[in-house]
Amino acid sequence: MPPPPGQVGAGSPSTSQRLASIRVCIGSATLRYSRGRVEMASRSRPTEFQRAVAAQRRAAEAAKRQQARDTEQERKEQVKQYEQRRTAEAARLTADAERRMAALNGVLAAALAHPPAGIDFAALRKHPPAMPIDLGQDARPLTAPAWADFEPARPGTLGRLLGGDARHARERAEAERRFAAAVDGYQAAEAARQRRVTEARRMHAQRLAAARAEVDAHNASMDRFAAGVRDRDRHAVSRYFQMVIDQVQDPAGFPSHRLAGYVPESTLLALEWRLPAVQIVPDQRAFRWVKTRDEIVGTARTAAEIRRAYQNLVAQIALRAVHTVFTTGRLSLVNTVVFNGIVEVIDPATGQTVTPCLITLRANREQFTELVLANVDPVACVRKYFAADVSPHPEELQPVQPVMEFKMADPRIIDPVDVISQIDKRPNLLELTAKEFEHFIHNLFTRMGFDTKVFSASGDGGVDCVAYDPTPIRGGKYVIQAKLYTKTVPPTAVRDLFGTMQHEGAKSGILITTSGYGPSSYEFANGKPLQLIDGSGLLAICKDHGIPARIVPIVK
C-alpha cells in the first residue's frame, strides 16, 4: 500500500528523482519526435533515381499521347486518301465515258481529218529479194602446205664430221614423205571445199530463181489487177474497194467485217458493213462517289438518249463509207454507192444469231460532192438528203428493208459475163425476145412465191407483169416492167414506172433489166417505193431460186 501523503517510504524514489526521470522521458520523446520529423522530411524529399523514374513515366505518357495523336492523324490521312481515290475513280470512269462518247461522235470528223489514201498499185509490187550467198568458212581457199615448213635444217661442219649427212638424209626423206601426205590431204580437202561451194551456189541460185519467180508472178498478178480495175472488171474493182474499205480505222470495240461488190453495168458499188451493237454506246453519262454508302453511282442515259446516240453513230459510219468510196475511186469507177449497215447480235427473244439491217441508203457522186460533211447533222443528212431508211428502234433490233440486197452485187455469187460461154449451157437472157423475157420474169416471180399475171402487149399501160404478194399485212400489189437492154436504162423509164405504179395503186414498182442504171435513175428512186434490179441483181435472184441463167453479150 502506498505511503500516506507527505511520507516517503523506505526505498521509494524521491521527488527530485521522479522529476529527473520525467525530464529524461520528455527528452527521449522529444528526440524521437525530432528523429521522426527528420525521417519524414527525409522521406518526403525525392531522390535522383525517383526523379528520373518520374521523368521517364511522364515522357512515356507524353509519347503515348503523341502516338495516339499520330495514329489518329494517320487514320484521318488514310481516310482522306481513300476518299480521294474513290473520287478519282469516279472521275476516271466519267472521263472514260466522255472519251468513249467523243470517239463515237467523232467517227466522221476523224475520217475527214485523215482521209484514206486509196490503193497505190506501184506500192503493191514487190522487188527481187537481196539474197547474198553465205559460204561460211568455205568462202576462203585452203592454204597449201609449204615445203619450207617440212624441210629439215642442214647439218653444220662439225655435224657433218660426226655423221650428220646420213642423219640429214634420213630426216629429209621423212620430211618429204610427210610433205607429200600433207599435199595429198590438202588437195582432197580443197576439192571437197570446191564441191561444197559449187553445191551451195547451185542451191542459192535455185532459191534466188524461185524467189524471183514468186516476185515476178506477184507483180504480174498486180499488173492484171491494175488492168482489171482500169477495165472495170467486176472482180478487180470489187477487190480494189474491198482493200480501200479495209483501211478504214474504227474506234476500239467495232467489228471489222465489211464487203464490197461492184456492178459495172450501173457503175454501182454495194457495201455491206457490220455495225457495232447498240451496247457500244456507254449507258452511263457520269459517275460520282457517294460517301455515306461508299459506292460509285452512275448517272444513266435514258433509252431515248442511247437510241439517238446510236442512230447518230450508224449515220456517221454510212457517210464515212460513202465518202471513202468517192474520194478514193479511180477513173470514176463508181457513180452510185449502196450502203447496208447490219448488226450481228443474239436475239433475246429466240436466242439465235440475227443480222438485221439497221440503215440503208443509196447515194450518187454528184449528190455527194455538194455536201459539206464537216457541217452536217449525220442523221438529218442521211434521212433527208439521201432518203435513207434508219431503224427507229435499233435497240429493239427493228430492221429496215435494204434498198438493194448485197447479194445482188456480190462478185463471189454472180459473174454475169461468162468467159466460157461456149460450153455454158445456161440460157443466155440476151438471146430471148422482149416477150420471152417478160415471160421469164413472170416465171421468176412465180417461183419466188408471188401470184403473177402477164399483161398483153397492147394497152398494158407500161406494165409488163403484175405480182401480188399474198402475205398478210405486208403483202400487196407490185407492178413490174422488164427491159431486155444491153445499154443503160434511161431515167425516163424509172419515172414512167413511178407514174404507172401510182396509177395502178400498187404498193411498189419493180424495174428489171439485163443491163444497168445510171446515177440519175437511182437518185430519182431514192425515197420512193421503187426497186431497180440490174443484170447482176437479176442473175443473183435467179441463182437464189434455182433458175439457170446468164447474161453474155452477143457478138455480131
Side-chain angles (χ1 to χ4, degrees):
M1 120 176 236
Q7 292 182 359
V8 177
S12 297
S14 62
T15 300
S16 59
Q17 290 176 330
R18 287 197 299 269
L19 291 174
S21 176
I22 290 172
R23 292 190 191 97
V24 170
C25 290
I26 293 173
S28 298
T30 302
L31 180 61
R32 287 195 302 271
Y33 174 77
S34 299
R35 287 178 179 175
R37 293 289 300 273
V38 171
E39 289 176 358
M40 290 178 61
S42 176
R43 286 197 298 269
S44 65
R45 289 197 300 268
T47 64
E48 290 295 329
F49 174 76
Q50 291 172 330
R51 286 195 295 272
V53 170
Q56 290 178 354
R57 185 174 61 253
R58 289 192 299 274
E61 292 173 351
K64 186 176 181 180
R65 289 192 298 272
Q66 183 62 40
Q67 183 179 6
R69 288 193 296 270
D70 292 343
T71 300
E72 178 63 17
Q73 182 64 27
E74 183 178 355
R75 187 191 66 80
K76 291 181 179 179
E77 185 64 27
Q78 290 176 350
V79 170
K80 180 180 178 181
Q81 292 177 359
Y82 178 77
E83 292 175 350
Q84 290 175 344
R85 286 197 302 270
R86 296 292 276 169
T87 303
E89 184 178 0
R92 179 185 60 79
L93 293 174
T94 299
D96 288 344
E98 291 174 347
R99 280 193 297 269
R100 188 64 178 165
M101 280 304 302
L104 298 182
N105 292 329
V107 164
L108 181 58
L112 297 177
H114 304 285
I119 306 302
D120 183 2
F121 291 120
L124 297 177
R125 295 176 62 86
K126 293 182 179 180
H127 300 285
M131 296 177 59
I133 187 171
D134 183 11
L135 298 175
Q137 294 182 348
D138 287 342
R140 295 182 298 275
L142 300 177
T143 302
W147 168 247
D149 295 333
F150 293 84
E151 182 180 14
R154 299 180 64 86
T157 303
L158 180 60
R160 287 196 299 271
L161 293 176
L162 298 175
D165 288 336
R167 186 173 59 255
H168 177 262
R170 290 192 301 272
E171 291 176 351
R172 183 179 180 86
E174 176 62 20
E176 289 174 348
R177 184 190 66 76
R178 289 188 290 105
F179 177 68
V183 169
D184 291 342
Y186 157 75
Q187 291 175 344
E190 178 62 16
R193 183 193 71 83
Q194 291 178 1
R195 287 193 298 271
R196 292 195 300 272
V197 169
T198 300
E199 179 63 16
R201 292 187 184 279
R202 185 184 68 80
M203 295 297 294
H204 177 263
Q206 287 183 350
R207 290 193 297 270
L208 186 60
R212 288 175 175 172
E214 182 181 351
V215 169
D216 292 341
H218 171 82
N219 290 341
S221 174
M222 291 300 100
D223 292 341
R224 290 192 298 272
F225 175 39
V229 172
R230 289 192 297 270
D231 295 339
R232 301 175 185 270
D233 174 74
R234 173 187 305 277
H235 294 277
V237 178
S238 297
R239 178 186 176 189
Y240 173 83
F241 281 105
Q242 184 68 54
M243 297 168 67
V244 167
I245 64 176
D246 284 343
Q247 291 181 334
V248 176
Q249 298 295 317
D250 277 325
F254 279 46
S256 59
H257 182 73
R258 304 151 186 174
L259 294 174
Y262 182 61
V263 182
E265 298 87 353
S266 301
T267 60
L268 178 146
L269 186 75
L271 301 177
E272 184 174 271
W273 207 284
R274 191 68 55 82
L275 303 172
V278 69
Q279 288 75 18
I280 198 72
V281 178
D283 58 355
Q284 302 293 326
R285 183 188 301 107
F287 295 85
R288 61 188 179 88
W289 177 58
V290 180
K291 182 177 180 180
T292 56
R293 301 202 305 264
D294 190 16
E295 181 181 356
I296 293 179
V297 178
T299 302
R301 287 187 171 85
T302 65
E305 290 174 333
I306 293 176
R307 180 169 59 252
R308 287 193 297 270
Y310 187 69
Q311 289 175 337
N312 180 69
L313 173 62
V314 298
Q316 288 185 81
I317 293 174
L319 291 174
R320 181 188 61 176
V322 178
H323 171 263
T324 298
V325 171
F326 283 144
T327 54
T328 59
R330 293 170 174 266
L331 308 174
S332 298
L333 296 169
V334 175
N335 288 311
T336 302
V337 175
V338 170
F339 178 90
N340 293 330
I342 64 173
V343 61
E344 181 176 2
V345 292
I346 301 297
D347 186 347
T350 65
Q352 297 181 351
T353 300
V354 293
T355 55
C357 180
L358 300 183
I359 180 172
T360 182
L361 66 81
R362 184 167 47 205
N364 66 56
R365 184 181 294 274
E366 185 177 355
Q367 269 183 304
F368 202 79
T369 54
E370 296 177 358
L371 290 176
V372 182
L373 286 179
N375 299 333
V376 302
D377 178 313
V379 176
C381 180
V382 298
R383 278 182 167 163
K384 297 180 180 179
Y385 191 71
F386 291 112
D389 202 357
V390 184
S391 173
H393 294 284
E395 74 283 0
E396 298 177 2
L397 305 180
Q398 183 173 336
V400 297
Q401 181 62 38
V403 295
M404 172 184 173
E405 295 282 353
F406 178 75
K407 65 182 180 182
M408 294 184 177
D410 192 344
R412 301 167 302 171
I413 296 178
I414 190 67
D415 188 356
V417 180
D418 191 347
V419 297
I420 57 171
S421 58
Q422 288 79 9
I423 62 175
D424 193 336
K425 300 305 180 184
R426 293 176 298 164
N428 184 4
L429 298 184
L430 294 182
E431 294 177 353
L432 302 178
T433 65
K435 197 60 183 176
E436 289 173 337
F437 184 62
E438 291 176 12
H439 283 283
F440 177 85
I441 297 302
H442 167 262
N443 293 333
L444 173 60
F445 274 79
T446 301
R447 181 76 66 90
M448 294 168 64
F450 289 85
D451 294 332
T452 58
K453 177 182 178 182
V454 178
F455 276 47
S456 61
S458 60
D460 60 7
V463 179
D464 296 325
C465 178
V466 174
Y468 295 91
D469 183 357
T471 306
I473 301 177
R474 62 183 178 88
K477 178 182 179 181
Y478 296 81
V479 294
I480 303 168
Q481 284 188 354
K483 300 293 184 183
L484 185 64
Y485 279 18
T486 57
K487 59 183 180 180
T488 302
V489 176
T492 53
V494 183
R495 297 190 184 96
D496 291 344
L497 174 63
F498 183 60
T500 302
M501 183 206 74
Q502 292 178 314
H503 176 73
E504 292 288 334
K507 178 180 180 179
S508 176
I510 303 174
L511 186 58
I512 303 178
T513 183
T514 49
S515 58
Y517 304 93
S520 299
S521 296
Y522 286 121
E523 182 177 359
F524 178 81
N526 272 351
K528 300 179 179 67
L530 297 175
Q531 297 185 48
L532 307 183
I533 301 176
D534 55 24
S536 297
L538 173 58
L539 291 179
I541 295 174
C542 290
K543 185 172 183 179
D544 201 31
H545 291 84
I547 299 176
R550 59 192 174 114
I551 299 176
V552 181
I554 300 174
V555 180
K556 296 182 180 180

